Amino acid sequence: MRFLSVFALLLLIINPKFKQKSYYTEKPILTIAVDNSSSVAELGYDRKVTEVVGILKNSKELQDKFDIDTYSFSKEIKQSDSINFKGSQTNISKALKDINKLYKDAIAPTILITDGNQTYGNDYQFLSSKIKQPIFPVVAGDTTTYVDLKIDQLNANKYAYLKNKFPVEVIATYTGNETIQTNLVLTADGKRLASETLTFSPTNNSKVVNLNISATKIGVQTLRATLTPLDSEKNKQNNSRYFAVEVIDQKVKIALISDMIHPDLGALKKSLESNELRGVDILKPNEASSLLNEYQLVILYQPNRKFQEVYESVKRLTKNTLTITGTQTDWNFLNDIQTSFRKDDLQETEEVQGQLNTNYTNFLIENIDFSDYPPLENAFGEIEFNVAHEIILSQIISGVSTNSALLATYTDDNKRAAILAGENIWKWRANSFLAQENFIEFDTFLGKLAQYLASNKKRERLTVGYESFYYGNREIQLTAQYFNPSYEFDANANLTAIIKNKDSEEITTYPMLLSEGFYTVDLNNLPPASYSFTVRAEGKNISKSGSFKILEFDIEKQFLNADTQRLQAIAASTSGKTFHINDNSQNLISALVNDQRFKTIEKSNEKVVSLIDWKYLLAFIAVFLALEWFLRKFYGLI
């Protein structure tokens, strides 16, 4: 007994290792992606879709061969068995991309149950190069062609100027086998503004109509474009479309002054003019000084001694400024010509990145991760301010955060001003497009800075962000920031939004929730109407009021048929097969079960196990030590 115990202990000290191999099987994954948008219900196939999903999920044949995962999608995709067909947007492209990323290393065919009508995102039929898994579309909609008139698209500027004409472009289409005639009518408040007679035929089935409408009064004008419906039309909701134009009588003019040619100039102009309320003129220093009275904001790009007269005019006319410095800035001149800030001219350059100050108080800034943006280039050294200032972006140099300002605002003799200490801002705008596939993030940020600098309004403790009008299928949200008497952001404020429907006089009060540095309230449940609102700080005598309109437009109701052509294209390009929702579900089940590409795989897992991890050996030692003691005690050897 002792020998065996000691031998086992010695084995543990040596701790030999041995290989352990286990075998397991891995089923292919079957993904069922169900369109949860309201267009499926509008086409009358919601019950059939629910029935087919139940048959597929409960199929014994599919369960034996696949591990089944069910997802529903509209604008976003989520793993869920709950389907209510209430989604206001359809993004099939994103759903397929997300599923492909999730199962990129697995055998995972996808059953796509949808009407194929996408209202948001990239065209999904061209995803074949990015989708590795076969897709089996199940068409949930009518494939019969009906007579239909439709406003496919309506394009109009968001803003117009008083007493000017603004263009409206209407793209109308016709589906049918006869030559027909209809009227396109543009109305506002029941008054006809313009009309045009259109003739369609099977071969001439689309028209682009351009109308010019006069802006006669200030404010948000709601207009409606209508195609006179045919008696035989099945869907008449897509014959009309509402849109709105905000008529204003002032445009912010910005002077961008530079003595050099640089990509930043084009990026700044494009970004600022992305909002029609702003216009940017690029000027040379020698021509700008006599023109500055026409502008509300002056951008001084990399000033040098040629800017002498410009600075004198800016001071005389008390213009608000944005100074952008870089590697070509004459800091000796800049230090002499103004007293708000200074920097030693060391003739060396460095690369700096930005870190957002989430406690910045002058205007609302969405939480943008500037650390992912490329570095800007600037002269070496730190800016020293001689006036009170607030930092928007602090510098990150070689990965180390500093308290030095990269972008800051300040007030100089009651003038609003800002300085950006870095050139190559065009790279930031390009990065915004690469990350988001649009310029909105960067353009919005720069636009808010320009809006703040171009205004001379008194600073307010409560600021509210909202649009003058919203389309019914878009996100509707009010945002607000509240500051204490020292103009520091107050994260403990109790803000409420009181919303009044001007048509029904119904009043609803919503609490505003704190989210990423500002308070928000989600108003997506409001029906189309005109609204007024008041945002109030409870317990304080501070409030802010305004108004907005929600325009009636449900894009999911614009479809008459399923988009069979695109669904067949994505099936063919991914080696799948198309089925219709009214087909026998067993045909789809048999096609998947009998497809030799989807096989259960046996895999092995080999791991190295140490003897010390074998718990039975410890029990073996304990038993033999106890047994030895018992026998020695029994025979009187102890």
Side-chain angles (χ1 to χ4, degrees):
M1 299 295 110
R2 179 179 294 174
F3 168 77
L4 292 174
S5 301
V6 172
F7 179 74
L9 286 170
L10 290 174
L11 278 178
L12 284 177
I13 293 172
I14 298 171
N15 191 23
K17 296 179 175 60
F18 58 92
K19 293 181 180 179
Q20 186 180 59
K21 183 177 287 189
S22 60
Y23 295 90
Y24 65 95
T25 58
E26 186 177 274
K27 291 181 181 180
I29 300 169
L30 178 63
T31 305
I32 302 176
V34 186
D35 189 343
N36 196 33
S37 64
S38 60
S39 63
V40 176
E42 284 294 324
L43 295 177
Y45 283 83
D46 47 340
R47 290 185 179 179
K48 188 64 179 179
V49 167
T50 304
E51 177 187 333
V52 170
V53 171
I55 292 173
L56 295 175
K57 287 173 57 181
N58 296 321
S59 170
K60 189 67 169 60
E61 294 177 77
L62 292 180
Q63 290 175 356
D64 290 342
K65 184 163 184 174
F66 298 96
D67 289 327
I68 301 175
D69 290 340
T70 305
Y71 296 86
S72 63
F73 67 90
S74 50
K75 188 175 181 179
E76 300 289 339
I77 187 170
K78 60 181 180 179
Q79 189 167 15
S80 173
D81 293 335
S82 176
I83 308 170
N84 56 21
F85 304 103
K86 292 184 179 179
S88 60
Q89 292 270 26
T90 309
N91 193 342
I92 300 174
S93 175
K94 187 177 188 304
L96 293 177
K97 284 181 181 178
D98 289 348
I99 291 173
N100 184 63
K101 288 178 183 177
L102 190 61
Y103 302 106
K104 62 181 180 179
D105 297 323
I107 301 173
T110 299
I111 299 177
L112 179 65
I113 304 177
T114 178
D115 57 16
N117 293 315
Q118 178 167 289
T119 63
Y120 188 83
N122 298 324
D123 194 333
Y124 62 88
Q125 71 170 321
F126 301 114
L127 289 177
S128 56
S129 61
K130 299 179 181 179
I131 302 296
K132 297 180 181 179
Q133 310 293 353
I135 297 173
F136 293 81
V138 178
V139 183
D142 202 339
T143 58
T144 305
T145 302
Y146 295 95
V147 174
D148 187 47
L149 278 171
K150 177 182 179 182
I151 295 179
D152 253 337
Q153 191 167 334
L154 191 149
N155 301 315
N157 291 336
K158 192 173 183 180
Y159 303 98
Y161 300 102
L162 186 65
K163 298 180 182 179
N164 285 356
K165 288 183 178 290
F166 60 90
V168 177
E169 182 183 68
V170 181
I171 301 175
T173 59
Y174 164 71
T175 303
N177 299 318
E178 299 179 358
T179 300
I180 59 98
Q181 195 174 71
T182 187
N183 290 320
L184 173 64
V185 181
L186 204 63
T187 59
D189 299 325
K191 180 181 177 181
R192 178 177 293 198
L193 302 180
S195 65
E196 188 166 328
T197 301
L198 305 179
T199 302
F200 293 96
S201 67
T203 55
N204 185 17
N205 55 9
S206 66
K207 299 282 185 181
V208 178
V209 182
N210 292 289
L211 303 171
N212 289 304
I213 308 301
S214 297
T216 56
K217 60 180 180 178
I218 297 173
V220 178
Q221 309 297 315
T222 304
L223 300 94
R224 182 184 185 186
T226 305
L227 285 172
T228 304
L230 305 174
D231 293 336
S232 56
E233 278 192 83
K234 183 179 180 181
N235 182 6
K236 297 181 181 180
Q237 294 189 54
N238 57 15
N239 288 51
S240 299
R241 185 169 297 196
Y242 287 91
F243 67 102
V245 175
E246 184 174 0
V247 180
I248 55 178
D249 62 351
Q250 184 179 6
K251 182 174 182 178
V252 174
K253 295 185 66 178
I254 301 172
L256 175 54
I257 305 173
S258 174
D259 187 45
M260 65 180 66
I261 298 174
H262 196 283
D264 281 355
L265 303 179
L268 288 166
K269 182 177 174 65
K270 285 283 188 183
S271 179
L272 293 171
E273 289 186 343
S274 63
N275 187 324
E276 296 97 334
L277 292 177
R278 294 187 291 266
V280 179
D281 294 330
I282 300 177
L283 305 173
K284 290 286 187 181
N286 57 1
E287 63 179 346
S289 56
S290 62
L291 303 173
L292 291 187
N293 199 39
E294 302 175 10
Y295 299 94
Q296 288 78 47
L297 174 63
V298 179
I299 301 178
L300 305 164
Y301 188 80
Q302 302 216 41
N304 55 32
R305 296 199 176 274
K306 295 181 180 180
F307 282 67
Q308 179 78 36
E309 293 184 6
V310 173
Y311 273 91
E312 293 173 357
S313 298
V314 166
K315 185 176 181 180
R316 185 180 71 256
L317 299 170
T318 63
K319 293 296 181 181
N320 297 345
T321 60
L322 167 60
T323 304
I324 301 177
T325 65
T327 59
Q328 303 299 316
T329 302
D330 187 340
W331 276 102
N332 291 324
F333 164 76
L334 201 51
N335 292 337
D336 293 338
I337 199 68
Q338 53 81 44
T339 58
S340 299
F341 57 86
R342 74 178 310 278
K343 183 177 183 179
D344 294 332
D345 191 359
L346 302 178
Q347 302 298 320
E348 296 290 338
T349 63
E350 63 181 348
E351 291 187 337
V352 294
Q353 288 181 287
Q355 183 174 28
L356 184 65
N357 173 20
T358 55
N359 295 319
Y360 182 78
T361 61
N362 285 328
F363 55 87
L364 295 171
I365 302 178
E366 293 185 8
N367 194 7
I368 303 173
D369 188 3
F370 281 93
S371 62
D372 289 338
Y373 278 41
L376 303 183
E377 193 171 1
N378 193 30
F380 183 83
E382 182 177 343
I383 297 176
E384 299 174 4
F385 286 91
N386 301 318
V387 294
H389 66 282
E390 282 196 69
I391 294 177
I392 300 177
L393 297 175
S394 58
Q395 292 188 9
I396 298 177
I397 302 174
S398 301
V400 178
S401 298
T402 70
N403 293 323
S404 179
L406 175 61
L407 174 62
T409 57
Y410 58 94
T411 303
D412 182 13
D413 294 333
N414 295 321
K415 296 182 299 181
R416 291 182 176 181
I419 179 170
L420 172 63
E423 66 176 84
N424 293 330
I425 197 173
W426 66 269
K427 294 182 179 179
W428 282 10
R429 192 167 192 259
N431 186 83
S432 175
F433 183 83
L434 291 175
Q436 310 292 333
E437 296 185 356
N438 58 57
F439 299 108
I440 293 175
E441 183 178 81
F442 176 81
D443 289 352
T444 301
F445 171 76
L446 190 62
K448 288 184 177 181
L449 176 63
Q451 182 180 354
Y452 166 74
L453 293 175
S455 172
N456 289 315
K457 289 183 179 179
K458 184 180 177 181
R459 194 172 182 184
E460 298 176 331
R461 288 179 58 188
L462 177 62
T463 59
V464 180
Y466 66 99
E467 298 286 343
S468 299
F469 59 88
Y470 300 88
Y471 289 100
N473 61 316
R474 300 295 185 185
E475 186 178 72
I476 304 170
Q477 192 177 72
L478 297 184
T479 59
Q481 277 191 321
Y482 178 76
F483 307 101
N484 63 23
S486 300
Y487 289 97
E488 297 172 334
F489 179 75
D490 188 348
N492 298 314
N494 182 13
L495 300 187
T496 56
I498 303 168
I499 311 296
K500 179 181 179 181
N501 188 318
K502 292 182 179 180
D503 301 331
S504 65
E505 300 295 322
E506 181 181 356
I507 297 176
T508 310
T509 301
Y510 299 88
M512 299 191 75
L513 304 178
L514 183 63
S515 174
E516 298 181 345
F518 50 90
Y519 294 88
T520 65
V521 59
D522 188 346
L523 303 176
N524 289 322
N525 61 328
L526 295 179
S530 296
Y531 294 89
S532 61
F533 71 86
T534 299
V535 175
R536 184 173 62 200
E538 298 297 333
K540 313 288 183 182
N541 190 24
I542 298 176
S543 63
K544 190 85 171 180
S545 298
S547 62
F548 61 88
K549 287 185 177 182
I550 301 177
L551 304 181
E552 183 179 351
F553 178 65
D554 189 348
I555 195 169
E556 294 290 332
K557 294 182 179 180
Q558 304 301 304
F559 304 106
L560 194 62
N561 305 92
D563 196 338
T564 309
Q565 185 176 354
R566 279 190 174 87
L567 293 175
Q568 289 175 338
I570 193 68
S573 61
T574 59
S575 301
K577 187 178 180 181
T578 307
F579 296 85
H580 193 272
I581 196 75
N582 289 327
D583 294 342
N584 189 340
S585 299
Q586 187 59 42
N587 296 337
L588 173 59
I589 295 171
S590 299
L592 291 167
V593 170
N594 297 326
D595 197 318
Q596 296 302 308
R597 293 174 294 176
F598 315 135
K599 295 182 178 179
T600 300
I601 300 173
E602 184 181 81
K603 294 185 176 182
S604 64
N605 183 25
E606 184 178 271
K607 60 181 179 180
V608 177
V609 181
S610 299
L611 186 64
I612 199 170
D613 294 328
W614 194 43
K615 298 177 182 178
Y616 296 107
L617 185 59
L618 182 61
F620 177 83
I621 294 171
V623 168
F624 276 92
L625 286 174
L627 187 59
E628 181 206 357
W629 180 87
F630 176 78
L631 291 175
R632 292 174 67 83
K633 187 76 173 177
F634 183 78
Y635 289 110
L637 298 177
I638 298 178

